[in-house]
Each structure stands twice: as C-alpha cells, then as structure tokens.
Amino acid sequence: MTDNKPKSASKTSAMWGGRFEGGTSAIMDAINASVDFDRRMYAEDITGSKAHAQMLAEAGIIAAADADSICAGLDEIGKEIAAGGFEFKRELEDIHMNVEARLRELIGDAAGRLHTARSRNDQVATDFKLWVRGALDGLDADVQALQAVLIDKADAHADWVMPGFTHLQTAQPVTLGHHLLAYVEMLGRDRSRIVDARRRLNESPLGAAALAGTSFPIDRDATAAALGFDRPAANSLDAVSDRDFAMEYMAVAAILAVHLSRLAEELVLWCADQFRYVRIADAFSSGSSIMPQKRNPDAAELVRAKAGRVIGGLAGFMVVMKGLPLAYGKDMQEDKEPVFAVADTLALSLAAMTGMIEGALFNKDRMRADAAKGFSTATDLADWLVRELGMPFRDAHHATGALVKMAETKGVDLDQLSLADMRSVEKRIHDGIYTVLGVENSVASRVSFGGTAPANVRSQVASARRRFLGT
Amino acid sequence: MTDNKPKSASKTSAMWGGRFEGGTSAIMDAINASVDFDRRMYAEDITGSKAHAQMLAEAGIIAAADADSICAGLDEIGKEIAAGGFEFKRELEDIHMNVEARLRELIGDAAGRLHTARSRNDQVATDFKLWVRGALDGLDADVQALQAVLIDKADAHADWVMPGFTHLQTAQPVTLGHHLLAYVEMLGRDRSRIVDARRRLNESPLGAAALAGTSFPIDRDATAAALGFDRPAANSLDAVSDRDFAMEYMAVAAILAVHLSRLAEELVLWCADQFRYVRIADAFSSGSSIMPQKRNPDAAELVRAKAGRVIGGLAGFMVVMKGLPLAYGKDMQEDKEPVFAVADTLALSLAAMTGMIEGALFNKDRMRADAAKGFSTATDLADWLVRELGMPFRDAHHATGALVKMAETKGVDLDQLSLADMRSVEKRIHDGIYTVLGVENSVASRVSFGGTAPANVRSQVASARRRFLGT
Amino acid sequence: MTDNKPKSASKTSAMWGGRFEGGTSAIMDAINASVDFDRRMYAEDITGSKAHAQMLAEAGIIAAADADSICAGLDEIGKEIAAGGFEFKRELEDIHMNVEARLRELIGDAAGRLHTARSRNDQVATDFKLWVRGALDGLDADVQALQAVLIDKADAHADWVMPGFTHLQTAQPVTLGHHLLAYVEMLGRDRSRIVDARRRLNESPLGAAALAGTSFPIDRDATAAALGFDRPAANSLDAVSDRDFAMEYMAVAAILAVHLSRLAEELVLWCADQFRYVRIADAFSSGSSIMPQKRNPDAAELVRAKAGRVIGGLAGFMVVMKGLPLAYGKDMQEDKEPVFAVADTLALSLAAMTGMIEGALFNKDRMRADAAKGFSTATDLADWLVRELGMPFRDAHHATGALVKMAETKGVDLDQLSLADMRSVEKRIHDGIYTVLGVENSVASRVSFGGTAPANVRSQVASARRRFLGT
Amino acid sequence: MTDNKPKSASKTSAMWGGRFEGGTSAIMDAINASVDFDRRMYAEDITGSKAHAQMLAEAGIIAAADADSICAGLDEIGKEIAAGGFEFKRELEDIHMNVEARLRELIGDAAGRLHTARSRNDQVATDFKLWVRGALDGLDADVQALQAVLIDKADAHADWVMPGFTHLQTAQPVTLGHHLLAYVEMLGRDRSRIVDARRRLNESPLGAAALAGTSFPIDRDATAAALGFDRPAANSLDAVSDRDFAMEYMAVAAILAVHLSRLAEELVLWCADQFRYVRIADAFSSGSSIMPQKRNPDAAELVRAKAGRVIGGLAGFMVVMKGLPLAYGKDMQEDKEPVFAVADTLALSLAAMTGMIEGALFNKDRMRADAAKGFSTATDLADWLVRELGMPFRDAHHATGALVKMAETKGVDLDQLSLADMRSVEKRIHDGIYTVLGVENSVASRVSFGGTAPANVRSQVASARRRFLGT
C-alpha cells in the first residue's frame, strides 16, 4: 500500500515545495488559514462573543463572574487589535481562534466556557453577517453622498441645455439638471436594494451551533436582540450554510457598479476634446509633463473599469456556492475575500465619483451649441403639427421629414426656415410654430411628469431632496 | 474617397455574405430585427397601447372614437396572435411595428394617432417591464409550489434521523424534516427577493417618450394606474435607459438557481449507491435498457447544471449594460433573450424539482444507519459533561476525545462503552450520560429555536405553512 | 412510507403542472430531451456513424453487407433531414436516437448492429467535437474576411491623419491605416487561437464507449482518420467527460468578441456628431422618419453588446463543468446551447462588422482637423530637443511644457510660435524644429518598426496580406 | 459658473472624505496609484529598462557611459528591492516611477536619458508581458509536478478495480490507474494551452512608445531579443492597448481550475464515509478536537472552491476590456490584480492538490466491493452475446436486461446465475460467458486503445511519462 505521508524530499514535491518553504504544512497553512483576511472582522467577532457570553450567564449556563471576565478580556483584546499591538498567528488559522487563544492568556480557564453552546460555524456566519450589514450601511451613506452632490449640481444647472442622446446621436435637447437627476434615480434604486438586502439578512445565526442546534437552554432571541438582529434564523442547518447575504450584497453592488460605470463613461466622453462638456478637477485627473494643457480623466476610467471587478466577484462567488451540499463546507471560506474586495472597490469608486462630480465644471456654451445641432427640435415641430393642426402622428412625421430635408439642403436650422418655406410643405402652418423650435422652447415645453423642462427639474430636485436626503 | 456602398459582388463580401443570402440587408435584418423573440411580449404590447390610447382620449389629445377604434383593433390583433394566425414580418423589425402595421390595416388612419406622445423607447421599456413583472409573479408561484411539497415532505419525515454533514463528513445526527426545511427557508428568501424586485420595478416608463418627456398634456398617473404600476417613473431619461429590473430579475433568479443546484446535488448524491437515501420517481430518472435496475438522476443533474445558464445570463447582461451612456442605446435590445432564457430555465427547473421531491421515496434505514456512524453523538457527550458536571467546554472536549479514541480502539460505538470505561476518563460520569448518546436522543435534545428536534420540526412545519403558504 | 408516484391530481402539482400539460412526463421531456437543439448536429451524427459502421465491417465485427446497408440508410436520412422532411420526435430524446430509430424503419434489424462497440457517450462527444471543429473553421474564415476589408481600408487610408487617443484624449497624430491595422493584429491573434484550439480538440473520442473502452477489436485509428481527427483520444474516461473543447472555443470567441466590441465602440464614437469621422452605410444604420439626416449606428451597438452574450456563455458553461466528477454526467448536455448561441452570435457580429467596415466612408477633414488640436506634436518637439540638441529627456520635457504653455496663452498652435518665442525658452533651438511640428511631419517621422508613418503602414499592409490572407 | 475646486469642508465631502483622510488627494492616490500591487513586477521593470538602455547606447541615441551608469543603478535598485530596503512611495504612483526616481538619486542626470524613445505605455505592456510569461512558465512546471504524482499513483494502482461512474451511478468497473490518467490527459491539454499562450504573447511591445512609434532610430529587434521575445509587435497602437495575453492567461487558468475542481470534488466524495475510497494525509485535512477520528478534506474543498475566483477573475477582466477604444486607457490598470490573484490561487491549488495526491492512501477493498455492485458487468455480458453468439446489439441488450432482472429478483450477482438460469433467457449461452462476468475479467477485456485494462494502463503510464515528463 502506498504510504500516506508525502515524501517531502522527493523530486516532485521539491518542485512545488519550492514556492512554499516548510513543505506541506506551509502549503496547508497558506491555503487553509484565513486570519490574513478575516482579521478584518475582529470587531464583529468580539461583539458577537460578548453577546453570547452575556446570554449564557443570563440563561444560567455559565457563571455571571465568568461572563464578566470574558467580556472584559474581549474588550481588552479589541483595544489591542485596534491599537495595532495584537500578534496574529497563522497557525491559529482564523480570527476566531486568535481571539480565543488570547482570551485564554488574559483570563485563564474561564475563556474555555465562552464556546459553550456555540460552534465556529454559527460564529463565522454571525460575524460575517454583522460585517456585511455594516458594509451595507456604509454603502448606503456613500451612495447618499453621491446623490447629494448630484442633486446640488442638478439644482445649479436646472436650465442648462444640452443634447439628449440616443445611440450617442443627438435626439432632443434636454437640461443638464435633468440628465444628472437620472443618476439620482438609479442610485435611489440602489439604496432601495441596499435597504432590502439589509432587512433580509438581519436574522441571527447565533445558536445554530455546528448545524443542528443545541441542547443547552440558550436564548437566541436575546443574542439576536443584543446584536441588532430582527430575529433568530429559523433553521439551524440553513443558518450555518446560508451565504445568500454575501451573494445578494454583491448583486446589489454589481448593479450599482454598472450605474457608476455609465456615469463614468459619460465623464470620459464629456472630457474628450470633441465634447468638452466638462472639466474634471485637477485632483481627479492626471496630466502630462509635456502637454500641460492635457488632463486625462483617470479616475473616471478607473471607476468605469472597476465594474469588472465587482461583476467578477459576484459571478465567481456564485460559482463557489453552486452545487454545495448542506451544511457547512470549507468552500464557503471563499466568501470573504470577494466581499471585502467589492466593499473596498465601491467605497473607493463612490468617493472618487462624488469628488469628481462635486468638482466638475460644466461648459454651458459647448453643450448649448451641440444641443441645437442635428435638427434636434424636429420632434417638437411634428408634435406641434399634431397638436395645433390635428394632423395624425404619422403624417406629421412625414411633413417634418420634408422640412428637415429642406433645412439640410439650405444649410440652415429649422427655426431659420421662413414661413413661406414651411407652408410649401404644409400650408396650414402659421407663425406659432416658431415658439417650439428653439432648444430653450423645446425643453421648456416638456412639462409632462418626469420631463426635462427646467420647471420640472426644479420640482424634481426638491422631491429628490425629500425622498433621498430627508431634507 | 471610398465609396459608401458595400460591394456586394466583391470577393470578401461573398465570403461573409455566403451565410446570409440577400447580402447586407439580410445581415442587418438578422442582427437588428427582434420580432423573432420580442413577439413574446405581444400581450403586454397590446395592453400598454390600449392604456395609452384610452388616456389620450380622456386627456382630449385624440378623439374618443379613435381610441375606441384603436382598442378594438388591438383586441382583434391580440386574438389573431393568440390563435396563431398572425403573420410576423421581420422587415417590420419588432413586435411593436408589427402590431402597429396590422392595426393600420385593420382600422386605417386612426392607427396613426396611437403613437402620439409616445416613442418606441418608452413603449419598449413599458412592455418589457410588464413582462418581467409577470415573470416574477409566475416565479413566485412556482417557488411556492416547491415550498409546499418540501413542507409536506418535512412534515411526513419530521422524526426520520439522518446524518447531518459538514465537509460531506458525518457531523451530528439531524432529522430529514429539518434538512428539507432548510431549503424552505432558502426559497422563502428567494420569494422575499422576488417581492422586493417586483415592488421596485413597478414604476411606469410610459410617457417618458423618446427620452425628454412630451409637451402633450398626457396623464402618466392614469396610464400607470391602468397598467397596475404604483406610479410613473420620475425621470424620463432614466425611464427609457433603465434596465435595472432585468438585472435584478436575473440576480434574484441566479441566487435561486444556486439554491436549486444545492438541492439537486444532494439528490444526485443521495441516489448514488453509496448513499441510497432516496429513490427518485421513474418519471424523473432515465434508465438503461441493459441495466434495468439502474436509474440515473438525469433531471436532478440538469437542474444542477442549469444554474450555469442563469449565472451566465446575469453576468452577460451586466457586460452589456456596463459603460453605456444615456439614454437609449441599441445595446439594450440584448436584454430580452437572456431574460426569456432565464425565465424558461427556472420554470422548468422548478417544475422538475417539485416533481422530483413530490415523488421522492426516502430510505429510512439507510439514513438512520449512516447517522449513527462516526461517533456522531460526541458533541452530545461533551455537552453533557459541561451541562451536568460543570466542566469547562474545552476540557469537556478533551475528555470526549479520549472517549471517542477508546471507542474507536475497541471497535464499538459511544453508547456501547461501559460506565467503568467512561469513568476511567472522567470519574464523575454517571449513567445519566446514556440518555444523550443514541441518535434519537441526540436529535430529541436539540430543542433550541431552529434546532433539529422532531418537536421543533413539527412546529417549524406549522410556522412555514403560515409564513409561506398562508395556511 | 411515502408513495413514489407523484400525485398528479394534487393541488401543488396542479400549480406547476399548469405550465406543462401532460404532467410529469411533459416536464421530464421538456428538461431532458435535447433533440430540439442537438438536431443541429445531424450531419456530424451521420458522418460519425458511417465511419463507425465501416470500421466495424473492416474489423470483422459486423458483416460488410450490414455496414453497406447502414451507410445507405444513413445517407438517406441525411437527405431527408436536409430536405426538411424528417419528423423529429421529442420522445426519442436526442438526434442520435431519432436517427437510429429512423434507420431501423429504413433498413430493419441491421440497424441494431450499428451501436456495437459504441455508446451514446462517445457518440455525443464525437458529434459535438466535429461540430465545434466546423465552427472553428467557419469562424476562421469569417475573421479572415474581416481582416481582408480592414487591410483594404488601411491601404486606401495609409496616409490619412487622425488623432491617436489615450484616455480618449488626443495624444499624438497617427494614420487611419495604422489604426485599422491594429485590429488586423488583434484578429490575427484570434485566428492563431482558433488554429490552436482546432489542433488541440482534434483527437477522436469514438471507441471510448460508455467510459471504459470495449472488448471488441475495434480500430480507433481508422475511425479517427476517417473523421479527420489526428489520433484517438488516449484515455476513454477522459474522452467521454472532456468538454475542454467547448470551453476553449468559447474562451477564444470571448476574446474575439471583446475585440469586436472595441472596434464597435469606436464606430459608435466616430459616428457621433461630435466626431463625425465616419459614415456607416445606410444598410447598417437605422434612421428616423422624422429626422431624415439622422443615422443611428444600430449594428455597431449590437456588435458591441453581443460581447456580453459570449462572455456570459463562457462563464455560464464553466459553472456547469465546475466540480463534476467523472465520467459522463447529464449536466454536460448543457454544453450545446451556449456553444450554438456563441457561434451564431459571432457569425452575425463578424458579418455585420465586415459589412460596416467595407461600406464605411471616412471623413478626412474632420480627422485631420482633430489631429492637429491639443498640441499633439508636443512629443515631437521634445524628441527633437533630445535628438538635435542632446538635451536629457526630462529637461526636454520641461522646455516643451513651457512652449506649450506659451502657445496656449497666445492661442496659437506650436508651429505658429516664432523662432524668437522658442528661443526665449531654449536658446539653442533653430528653424530645423519646424520640420517636426506639423501633423504630417509628425506621422512621417515615426518610422520605427510598427510605427505610424505612412511608409510603415504600406509595408505593414503588404506584410499583413502575406501573413493573414496568403496573398 | 460652478467652482471647479471640491469643497473639502462641505458636509457631503465630509461624508465620503471620512474614510479617506487627506481628502480628495487621498482618494485619488488610493484609486490611481498602483505601486501597492505593481511593485511585484519590479524585476521585469529593471530587466526591461536595462535592455532599453543598452539598445539606446548601441544605436547611438545615448552615450555608452550613460547606459552603463543606468544599468549599474538599476542593478543596485534591484538589490535594494530584493533585500526589502527599498522605500516605495505612493505619490510616485507606480513601480516604474518609483524605480526611475530612485535611479535619479543614485546616478543623477543620466537617469533622465533612460526614458528616451520610450513611454510608460510600452514600458507597462512590456513589464506585464514579461511577468505573465514567467507566470506561464511557473504554471507549466506546477502542472507537470501534479502530472508526475498522478502518473506515479496510476502506475502503482494500474490494476486496482473501482467503479466507473456515470451520473454518479456505477456503470462499469474501471481501474484506479485509468481513472487517474484521465486527469493527466486533462492537465496535458492545460499545458498545451500554456505553451500556446506563451508563444502567442511573445512579441515585444517595447519601442511602441506612447502609441505611435518614435522618430528615434531605435532597434526593436535588439530589445526583443534581449528580453527573450520572438519578435517586436507589428503595430504600435495594438502593442500598447493589447491585453489579450492577460485574458488568455486567465482563460487557460480557468479551464485548468475547472479540472482541479473536478478532481477535488472526487476527493471530497471519496473521503465521505459512504465511499471511503481514499484517506488524505493529515497535513491536508483538518480534524476536530472532539471527534479525533474525523478528518475533513478542507484542502480539497478549497481547491474546488477556488475555481470560482479564477472564473470570476476572467469574466471580470473581460468586462473591463469590453468596449474600450484605442489606444491606452487607464481602465487597463485593472489588469494586474486579477492576474496576480489568479496566479497565486493556481500556485496554491496545484501545490495543495499535488500534496494531497502524493499522500493519498487508497482503499482497495472499498473500491473493489463497490465496483462489483449494481450488475456493473451487464455490458460485458451483452457484448459477449453479440460477439460470441452474433446477436444484434439491441437484442443482446434485451436478453441482458432479462438476466439482470432475474439476478436482481434472486438477490444474486450476474456471475452467480446458473447456466440453466441463463439458458432460460437465451438457450445458446454456454459457460464461456463466465469469463467476462467478474470485474477483473471485465476490466482486463477492455483492451481497445484508451481502454481501462491494466495492460493498457501500464502502457499509457509509459506513454504519459514520455509525453509529459520527458522520461
């Protein structure tokens, strides 16, 4: 029979061992230990353990003095870690064992009572849920901050006219304020998803133990309440094997990242010399020592790109969870790094985007000039024919097409056609038509709910402040 | 200057044209036309158009008679399509133009008034939202149906003992009912996500027009109400360029598909000869003409695999939306096929899973036998030492380890160790210990909320019926 | 014990059964049967079966007359299917059983000998490999066709000057021919990947039987040769469970799709009014009845978007294969639909892109004008200082920055600064400097291998024709 | 007009600034600077710069003494970094500027000549290509090491009988050696992909400069040769904007990771008490203080899971590259972190898998016993009927089905049926049939090329050693 011990001196193991001095145990440490990244949950681990210890004491499972000692020790450890003086040990594998081992050093045998009626499985799930909950709260604040600067900018530019694009072709004039508020709506849905995800995850796994629950008379309602959960999770097997909250967090994040990538794309476009609609502050651009006038929208490009990381993190973690039997499997340890990476990526992207928008200097003339190009008020003309002359929509379109063609041939804009010219196409046209042809007239006329008229933008700004900023 | 017309007779165009008889126009039709798939939204298109026509009449924008004529024509078209007698034309590009062209045939010029104060952009968004909303409702019903059979099975097997696994290693005994209820919880979260997604999408894009709103005095609240939306979308640019609802639908679906893949994996495992915990009904297995006893869990494997399609659909559509500037871009036409594929995939997967669970025949003896293996009640023993003798948790673990090692050496199970044996490790042990060592004792003792005890399972069944089935 | 038969009349099954008339068997048919899509491999199935039958006869395993009869019958079936007269039956599950059942109708019992020493597992793998091999060949031809039109366009525009962008900011002038050749290089790497993938997949699974090989004295070399494979696959378990070729095909396709999305993005940008570098032929644009001058680059947007479908197909199928134990699992049936979708998507995207490029009309003036903006020859100036005056690079940059600032202040371009102006910054500057400052001078000077000089472009065109078109 | 400077004291910026002390510049540093991760390419940066400096001297562009000074300085910096004494500065943004700034400190103004005829764009592409090339070489060695232990194990277990599974159901007996060699084939394809990817990337971007090439008389062939590239890249725009090599590296890695996940899944299954086919060495398992007999296959689960990270990295980076216009964009800076993560993940996964296989102790009895279950030789019986009695395949299947049913009813195995029993189904059966019914007979009979017979396995082992290990 084959010998069960890896031959550490063999040629092949030397090959792979070369990268991992210390041989197999070094490899196992490297793949298995999680303390290098899960230390980030130290505060949650301490909070969770304190709640558990207090409940154990209140339920009479451990002595009150032991609980006090445990809590004091944990507080001490929290301070040590916060101060940077804690020595994390890889051989203790994860943050939980690092904290527990230190607790034993600090308070002695009482530390051994903390793990009563608990397992690492429910402890990990609890800590990580608390962390993700905090990440959702932070994300909500960050998104709100971006909404706030967008709303301010929309307010300040409620009547600045710019081209409204479809297919990146000028379609109709809109207002810059209206355009910016579109993102406020997207971000509003993101925040709504954040709130839903937070509410849904807010069930406590603590007390599910390894997977089957426990025979100790624990009070799961008490620990749930102490940790701000709405209730204990209803099924212990589910509680330890559920990572929905991580998947949902990343799904919410990915849709948000897509939104940011769209806004970032627009900033990159608008910074191009061909557009020049915006100037991003120096702080968020990079220059060239040789072309001092140049400013590359680096931060916008990076925000655009970082959607890739978030989408990849989501897809990758779904791969991890696919086809896993119940209950806990070590595969689930792959949950934290993508979630941490997504959280960092979004915090940074949102900060950068908020900064860019706040410092953005828009170019009124360039936007106004482009808005007027391409017969962008043709729709207004057609609508006027329908509204004022009662023409059927498709006939009005036909007449408008003829007028646009005429203007194109003459090399003039629609409002530069004479009334005679117009009447050669449709004899009932009268000079009322000129009231809808300028871009200012056009945007001012679009007063349907949600439309681009400056008056609408101003009321939408007020509404957005109420709905999203609570002001 | 280069000639702008593709040389249809050139060697190169012959190469690519070879696959597309009819040359460039055939290629453009093939890539551009969407009626081959978007015809699936015909009912939504008709409903949306009727609501729009009625509103136009009520607002005095078109004549009541025209609206009546339009609605009657649309109803007629709906019947034609439902009956299979409608001729879809690719050159009319999409379902919307196919319906409108037919309407003109049926009712003449009045058809031309339908498109007043509307654009294909808001029309598409409205139709597709209505379709996705219906898909969410259907999905909720399908998930509930699976919950119902799982709850019934859990009820019927509330006290059947099986191994509880971690790392696919026997960890502690649990009950089959408890195990099945874990999936009921997962599916409950899925339904909660469905409800949230439905609520969030339920804002009407209709009236956003091309992108800027309209100058016609439309009543967006009226069309929103007529179509069952909660309110009109607040920003017209956002309304036509938003595809969050498609992304969120697929994200919800992907998490659900991961859940189904986990249950499917367990069915595949449990059907293996090495487990033999379950026998799937013939209807969902495939056999072998040569090995009549063989039954392959084909349907379970397919459900497991189909998570890939859903995750791929989600990731792929996020790629489409990444970095798109506002407002409408043709890229967004890539929204429907993945959503339709995801909807079909999930309907099928859920139907198959519901059928498999409903017809599943579990093997009590096999599960019970495996549950008792591997000293699965070691934790119960340790907990007893803590609870009854007041030993610190870590010390109790140490003593238990010694007892397991002793049992392993003797080749017996824990409850077959004599009291003398036990006392050789810890002298305070008394015969009360035998009450926790059998697997039935073990599961019965786990009465903490959410634990696996049969009594808990029964109350969880009742609670699940109330929470998820409304009974 | 639970009854193993699904209660078809139960309330719950009615819920899910509702969508699948015919109950459980209809559900199983819908999820299990593959003939709706795998019929696409009918020609490969017939070719593979003929090779197998001939080998069986040559090896003396079946009679020559039987083999002849089988082959004649298969040819007949091939004709029936090609003519559209074949009735596919879902209850026969897949293309293989449909063909075999029809063969029995046509030639009687001899049909029963075809499956000797073969299993559906190696048959499926063989058919699908043949299909993917054909898809790779078709893809190579399609990519080559696009290279051909790009090279022609590069040749025709070898000296047209346009801005070279970094960060979508004008950086240095380049030539349009040079820009287009960049895509020829990308596509060249794609073709190189196609060739490698084809070579790698070209091992025959036929004869691996169910998974273990066979005891019949088959000649796998013979069938491999007959089917154009380089050799038989070396391990029967691997042969039936390998889907690397599908994953690699989609990976190759995904990188190609990314390339196409980049070119498509540039077309969309260049069609924007702000750029107007190109006019795409009417055949690949969509217009507006109301704005006749408008042309939306729909086909380019769709090509850009379709990268999503390909990337999603790749990621999704990797999810399917992740964690599958050997050998064949039904999960693998999920291989065909994404591969077919990717093949169709790419054929269409390439045909559309080839057509767009072939008919593209570039705007020399617009590109030339933009190329000259933004002091795009600042690098040339700095290089001149280094080369002619021997200044260290960083010092030359500093001086150039000062000159650009001066030009910016004066509102002139670099070549409009007087020699006196220039000497105020660096007194050694002489009038040789003006030879490098115009954009034509700039591009003409970049003669390093791979550089943008028109002379280089022309030699690169010749080289590309040789390397990629064999001309 | 809006002020362009972010109001650092505003309420909103305080919100997002809170996480980034130092305000906007801290945010920009955090999102923009890459030195925290790209320092990993320091050796490639130094090698690339030395090759460039030497070429500049040889081409007479800089003085030989300057080149010598530059190279000596770079060597010194390499030593400083290797020794850990180098101070990386975030404000210098990336590894390239950190090295250059230090070079100036060390050698003064001559440092300023290094960047002649080079840009950061071609420098980054060169460095990263060199790094990925090294990663491919390392990967090839790691995969070969795993092949080596698999081949050794296959050799040692060439005739150990185990069940061959389809659908995780026992289908036919195979040999363990044969099963392990299936993975050797998969890994062989992976290595073939690695070789192809390496060859394809091996074109030098150096000398492409910013994007347009240069007017300096550089010798790109010389730098290419000095850096081990096969040739210079043919198009300068492509050279700086190409990240195919990163995508292809991750695609190759992802298919490999899928293979590892399949082997890992089998290890997890085989470690389950229900299988017990293998015992993984302690070094790669984790235990339980309370259940000393327990060993969780943690490392196998982690290898299985890590496929997710690799697939996510691939998909995510394709998202980044999708739709990027030429040439360089800052988005591309997102290339390194996923590539580094994939490289680390695979190195670790391969080391762990190699260690697990090397130390794996297989259980001959368990595998042999399972192989005999489920009438696994039914196919052999049917093949015998075809071969010896000349029955058509489908008839032989029918007779076999009847015999299996009979054996099942009697509760015996096929080789325990009497000749009389057999003849009651097919009267021509004679006692030669017993030669194919035992599992040893079955595997021994499968001698077709690639089949599972021990003799085949031994020759395949020899062949694999030749093909993959060069021995």
Side-chain angles (χ1 to χ4, degrees), chain C residues 7-205:
Chain C
K7 288 159 285 176
S8 57
S10 78
K11 182 182 136 233
T12 50
S13 67
M15 290 178 71
W16 50 263
R19 302 194 179 188
F20 296 93
E21 286 179 37
T24 52
S25 66
I27 295 168
M28 187 58 179
D29 278 358
I31 199 168
N32 197 48
S34 55
V35 70
D36 291 349
F37 51 86
D38 67 17
R39 63 173 67 175
R40 206 163 155 167
M41 309 192 304
Y42 82 90
E44 288 78 11
D45 192 65
I46 286 170
T47 304
S49 287
K50 285 175 64 182
H52 184 64
Q54 280 153 352
M55 178 278 289
L56 289 177
E58 276 157 32
I61 300 169
I62 68 171
D66 283 347
D68 291 346
S69 168
I70 286 168
C71 289
L74 289 168
D75 283 337
E76 177 61 26
I77 292 169
K79 283 178 205 150
E80 289 176 3
I81 297 177
F86 189 92
E87 189 199 349
F88 291 99
K89 293 175 186 155
R90 243 195 189 186
E91 64 268 28
L92 290 173
E93 211 172 294
D94 58 22
I95 181 63
H96 321 291
M97 292 302 288
N98 269 274
V99 168
E100 188 177 328
R102 178 69 182 136
L103 185 64
R104 187 173 289 267
E105 287 175 8
L106 288 177
I107 68 164
D109 282 355
R113 300 201 188 275
L114 170 59
H115 216 54
T116 310
R118 192 176 70 168
S119 148
R120 228 185 310 174
N121 293 348
D122 59 337
Q123 185 180 3
V124 167
T126 302
D127 292 2
F128 192 36
K129 266 199 170 178
L130 290 173
W131 196 93
V132 172
R133 195 177 69 187
L136 285 165
D137 291 341
L139 190 58
D140 186 64
D142 288 347
V143 176
Q144 190 185 41
L146 176 53
Q147 283 184 310
V149 300
L150 284 165
I151 294 171
D152 283 352
K153 287 284 176 186
D155 198 6
H157 304 84
D159 57 2
W160 287 33
V161 176
M162 66 175 287
F165 294 96
T166 55
H167 312 272
L168 207 61
Q169 301 283 312
T170 303
Q172 295 173 345
V174 296
T175 51
L176 175 55
H178 190 58
H179 191 109
L180 295 175
L181 286 179
Y183 286 99
V184 173
E185 290 299 315
M186 293 183 217
L187 297 171
R189 285 191 298 273
D190 291 321
R191 289 180 63 199
S192 159
R193 271 183 284 271
I194 290 169
V195 168
D196 288 346
R198 190 199 198 282
R199 172 178 42 76
R200 195 165 7 258
L201 77 62
N202 212 26
E203 300 188 338
S204 172

Side-chain angles (χ1 to χ4, degrees), chain B residues 310-348:
Chain B
V310 182
I311 295 169
L314 167 64
F317 185 59
M318 286 180 159
V319 175
V320 173
M321 294 302 296
K322 176 243 172 178
L324 284 192
L326 299 189
Y328 182 78
K330 192 77 169 190
D331 311 62
M332 291 177 196
Q333 185 169 296
E334 287 287 301
D335 55 359
K336 280 163 217 82
E337 284 170 291
V339 162
F340 292 163
V342 163
D344 293 343
T345 298
L346 277 183
L348 201 48

Side-chain angles (χ1 to χ4, degrees), chain C residues 332-413:
Chain C
M332 292 177 196
Q333 184 168 295
E334 288 287 301
D335 54 0
K336 281 164 216 82
E337 284 171 292
V339 163
F340 293 163
V342 163
D344 292 343
T345 298
L346 278 182
L348 201 48
S349 294
L350 282 162
M353 187 55 87
T354 303
M356 279 189 283
I357 295 296
E358 195 173 30
L361 184 66
F362 294 98
N363 188 319
K364 192 171 192 167
D365 296 341
R366 293 282 301 183
M367 294 194 297
R368 170 67 178 74
D370 276 8
K373 286 181 189 162
F375 310 103
S376 65
T377 57
T379 325
D380 299 276
L381 194 158
D383 285 352
W384 187 91
L385 297 175
V386 170
R387 205 169 51 241
E388 301 296 323
L389 307 185
M391 290 173 75
F393 192 72
R394 293 291 175 201
D395 296 348
H397 261 223
H398 186 76
T400 305
L403 289 167
V404 169
K405 193 150 252 168
M406 181 187 291
E408 199 179 21
T409 307
K410 289 177 185 268
V412 299
D413 219 330

